[in-house]
Structure formats: C-alpha cells, structure tokens
Amino acid sequence: MTLSPEAVAATQTALAAEHAAVWTYGLVSAFVSDADATTRGANAHRARRDTTARLLRDAGAEPQPPAAAYLPPEPVTDAASSIAALVAVEADACRAWHGVLERTDDTDLRRSALDALTESAVRATRWRKTGGITPVAVALPGTS
Amino acid sequence: MIPSSRGPQLSRRGVLLAAAAGPLVVACTTKETSPPEPDPLAELAEQARVDAALAAAVAASFPGLGADVVAANRGEHAQRLAAEVERARTTPSSAARSPSGAPSSQPVAPPADAGSAVALLADALAAAQRRGTELLPDLPTHRSGLVGAVVAGCACLAEVLA
C-alpha cells in the first residue's frame, strides 16, 4: 500500500488515539458497572490499534508506540467521571479518524477510517446515553 | 393519494432501484430527473431533509422516542450538505450541478403507532448510511470528511432509537 506522507501522519494520529482509548478503557474498568460494555470497547480498540499498526507497516511507516500513560480530561474517581473519560476518548478517536478521511484517496484506508469513526461515534453515543449526557448524539462526529 | 408530495421518496427509491437493477432503471430515472451529472451530495442533502421532516412529525406524535434528536441532527446534515453543494455549484472549476428548484416542504404524516414510526426512521437512517458509504470511495478529500461524519452521525441516531 502506498500512502501520501499526509495520510501516514493522520493515520499515526489515529493510532495514538487508539492507544489512548485502550489505556483509558483499562483505567475506568473498575468504576463502570457495565463490564460487558467496557470489555467490548477495550477489545474493539485493541483490534483497531493492531490493524492500524499493520496498515502503517504495510505502507512502509514505523507505527508509533503507546505513551506510558494518558491524562483524562478530569480525574477518574467514580462512574460519572469514568463515563466522561470514555466519551472524551471516543470523541478523540472520532476526530483522529475523521482527519484520516480528509487526507486520503486510498479506498481501503478510507473504508477503515469510516468504520473506525462510525464505531467510536456509536460507542460515544452509548456512553452518553448511559451517563445521561445531552445531546445524546452529536450530529457530525469527528468534526468538532 | 397525494403522489406529488411523495416526490423525494420516489426519487430516492428510484436511485436505490437504479443501483440494484442497472442501466434499464437508470434510463427511466434519468428521464424523470434530468440534470446531467447531478451533484451526488444533493441526493444526500435531500435524503437528510426528508428524514428530518419525518422525524419532526414522529417527535410531535410520539415524544420520548428520541425522534427529536433525529430531526435536529438530520436537519443539520441537510444544511451542511446543501451548503457544500451550493459551494461547489458556485465554484467555477466545478462541473458538478445540483438539481434546480427549491425543495418542497410538504407536511409529513407520521405512522399510526410508535413501533412503526421507529422502524420507519431506522430504515431511513440505514438507507442514508448505506448511500453515504457507497459514495465515499469516489469523493474528493474535501468532501469525504463531511460524508463520513454524516454516515457516522446516522449510525449514532440509529443507536439513539435502539
């Protein structure tokens, strides 16, 4: 696969967002009562992280490694702050994948980016629902 | 009953049929709506506008289903897509054309019960997601972000109704 430097950079940003998401799902798992949902979210982000790293290697780029730790927007101390952290990390992933969509003509990468954007946006909606956050769904995920 | 008010839905169906059945149906629909090389985003904008009107009618009859969120967000999709169509139309280098004429705003009759109302909205959202996904590979990069966000936004709305 040949990707433009712009597409590679955007995909590295998306990979960083996936690393952060995996880490955050691990951080909050003790506080969120819906263990199935956190497990599913963590697994989905791990899978996306791995396919994204593979995709970068196929394009001849070295996938960027995870950071040692990530800073949630607010300290995670209970269920509400955990859900806020999950909403934030899914929104970050949406922004990153939307950035990929805007920077590549490659059909496979676009499809991958759309899937990742959609899945993160739907998970964000579920967490917003769980946390009673309004509006329950953002109109254009990844754009704000 | 009132065939003229069903125009947008008919043309959407026409497009879906055309995709499924090939050149024969394309020929028929071309006769009906004839602008050469219509802007593909105009179709998405119209789809969004029709969905927003339906959702508003459903929300009025059945509050508490989340149809109000569908109405608001699909309305925003319609606005953003129409703005992009207009921008492209008024950009000299663009060959794309949008269908002329202001869209009609006929009142939409909601279904008789909440269950069918939700099913109707869910079908409309699935259709919008499908159409946007189909268009995505051929869009220029400045449009793929917008269409991708609309597709993801529709998936979220389906989740709200679920």
Side-chain angles (χ1 to χ4, degrees):
Chain A
M1 181 191 277
T2 313
L3 295 177
S4 69
E6 236 195 338
V8 169
T11 307
Q12 293 280 20
T13 303
L15 176 59
E18 295 298 336
H19 282 311
V22 170
W23 189 89
T24 304
Y25 271 89
L27 173 73
V28 304
S29 59
F31 297 108
V32 179
S33 56
D34 191 347
D36 283 353
T38 49
T39 303
R40 275 197 305 274
N43 288 342
H45 283 293
R46 262 194 291 273
R48 183 66 62 186
R49 173 199 65 190
D50 294 346
T51 52
T52 307
R54 244 194 327 271
L55 190 152
L56 281 163
R57 274 194 204 95
D58 288 350
E62 185 56 36
Q64 100 167 25
Y70 296 85
L71 192 63
E74 54 174 304
V76 169
T77 54
D78 56 12
S81 54
S82 292
I83 286 168
L86 291 175
V87 168
V89 89
E90 295 291 5
D92 285 348
C94 286
R95 265 190 298 278
W97 285 112
H98 182 265
V100 175
L101 269 186
E102 284 186 314
R103 285 172 185 84
T104 186
D105 288 321
D106 184 89
T107 303
D108 290 340
L109 182 54
R110 268 196 193 179
R111 177 53 57 98
S112 203
L114 178 65
D115 288 349
L117 166 61
T118 302
E119 287 166 19
S120 271
V122 168
R123 274 190 300 270
T125 303
R126 288 195 193 120
W127 290 124
R128 292 172 81 95
K129 229 173 168 176
T130 306
I133 300 166
T134 54
V136 66
V138 298
L140 295 159
T143 61
S144 54
Chain B
M1 245 182 338
I2 38 167
S4 62
S5 73
R6 311 291 289 179
Q9 299 212 350
L10 273 179
S11 73
R12 180 203 297 175
R13 207 170 298 146
V15 170
L16 290 174
L17 276 173
L24 180 65
V25 185
V26 171
C28 297
T29 50
T30 309
K31 212 164 99 188
E32 237 176 276
T33 60
S34 52
E37 289 190 62
D39 188 328
L41 263 59
E43 177 200 336
L44 296 185
E46 178 60 11
Q47 216 176 13
R49 195 189 62 78
V50 171
D51 292 354
L54 172 66
V58 170
S61 302
F62 307 105
L65 298 177
D68 53 335
V69 185
V70 180
N73 290 9
R74 287 300 275 156
E76 191 172 337
H77 293 172
Q79 214 174 3
R80 292 288 296 273
L81 289 162
E84 168 54 23
V85 170
E86 183 59 19
R87 189 203 61 75
R89 197 181 62 79
T90 53
T91 302
S93 64
S94 171
R97 294 197 24 197
S98 64
S100 56
S104 58
S105 45
Q106 299 283 344
V108 182
D113 64 281
S116 357
V118 167
L120 199 62
L121 283 177
D123 284 352
L125 291 168
Q129 237 184 298
R130 212 159 42 232
R131 191 66 188 124
T133 305
E134 282 167 10
L135 289 174
L136 193 73
D138 297 322
L139 294 174
T141 44
H142 69 276
R143 289 183 149 195
S144 54
L146 173 59
V147 171
V150 168
V151 168
C154 288
C156 293
L157 291 172
E159 185 62 31
V160 170
L161 295 174

